[in-house]
Amino acid sequence: MLGNMVLSAQDNPSQLSVTGQFVNGEIKLRWVPLNYDDWQTGITQGYRIHIKQIDEDGIVWNTRLTEPIRPTLEGTWGTAMNDETVALAHSLLYEQVAYDGAQGAFTLAADKENRFGFALFAADFSPVAAHHMGLCFADSLIETGYTYQYQVHSAFGSLASNTIVVDPAAVTTLPHPTGFEATFGDETVALVWEKNDLETYYSGYIIEVSTDGGTTFTEVNEQPFVNLETEETEALSSEYFFFNIDIDNDIEEYQFRVKGKTIFGEYGPVSAIVSGQGIPTPLPLMPRITEILEMQDNSFQVSWRINEEYNDSITAINVWRYDTFPGTHTVLNSDPLPLDASNFFDTGANDINYYQIEVVDIFGYSELSIVKIGKRTDSIPPAPPVGFSAEIILADEEVTV
């Protein structure tokens, strides 16, 4: 359960932005420098926090000033470095690159902004990283019946934050993600859920998967997921989060759910569960009619070939005939054909026939060959012409028919 945070305005613009929440008996603070130079000032000077304990009548009962809060010394982060986000924060603080020349100055400026941006990113997604970077504080000296006012300063006073007041008694609950849906493909699934106002509560999201009907869930992503805009999702990114994942197979049924994670490491309630199976893509069976022969008994033999690589992946073969094409087809085989069949005799053929082979794969997809025509040979000569006469007029050298 989290305490509501109340912000109070200041006359001067803040150089630091601070937020706070009451979590499990402590008030946790997180602050953010507004630019690279302020970030470096905070690293060098450290931060001190002015704390006031205020009763319901607005009377200040106690004031405190913390000791300077600085990043953990290089090389002393211990096993926390096993976490990728923490390791990233360490490198951003302590691994510097030298750039020479005019181009180097430009590159250095870009590098500073990148370092600053990724440092804040790491602090948002890992409370451990924020701790080692000196950007957070947990106040455990909390008594009931009081509110607590906080303002963060650099140790020498060159930076100051906004002032916040946290009331431990004002309790609210974190929201659960809504509109959670899944679209399954061939060993893939695309997850989507509504943003609403979740971004005011969560800095990232954990997706969980189950293959035992939702009895047990495991985390899909080790690090909290943040949605990044792409050209494909730009139109919808203001309304939805998107997450794509590969699944092991298209046979098992999978259950998914998602939950948010705050900058203080607290998880919100999970979303509704979505279930489904992968939908395999059609196999390239490639049926093709190789020959249509008119037989002596006036039937037609239709022969075909199928991609031999997938002979074991066929569940049905059907022969179609159209009297006119395009038009309505008739399935000529009343009984299932052998799965290794390669020809069929059409004993009820017309003078002109349009044939097509349908092959069904193990996933239920139907694939059709190109239509081929079979015509009966016309062996009866035409009748002699009748009513034919001619008159020869030699004088004019003309023939009249």
Side-chain angles (χ1 to χ4, degrees), residues 390-400:
E391 180 181 357
I392 301 176
I393 304 174
L394 295 176
D396 297 330
E397 297 183 356
E398 292 181 357
V399 178
T400 299

Side-chain angles (χ1 to χ4, degrees), residues 132-160:
H132 284 291
M133 296 175 74
L135 295 175
C136 66
F137 173 75
D139 187 3
S140 59
L141 301 179
I142 305 301
E143 297 181 50
T144 58
Y146 296 92
T147 59
Y148 291 83
Q149 177 181 296
Y150 299 92
Q151 188 176 34
V152 182
H153 297 265
S154 58
F156 298 144
S158 58
L159 300 175

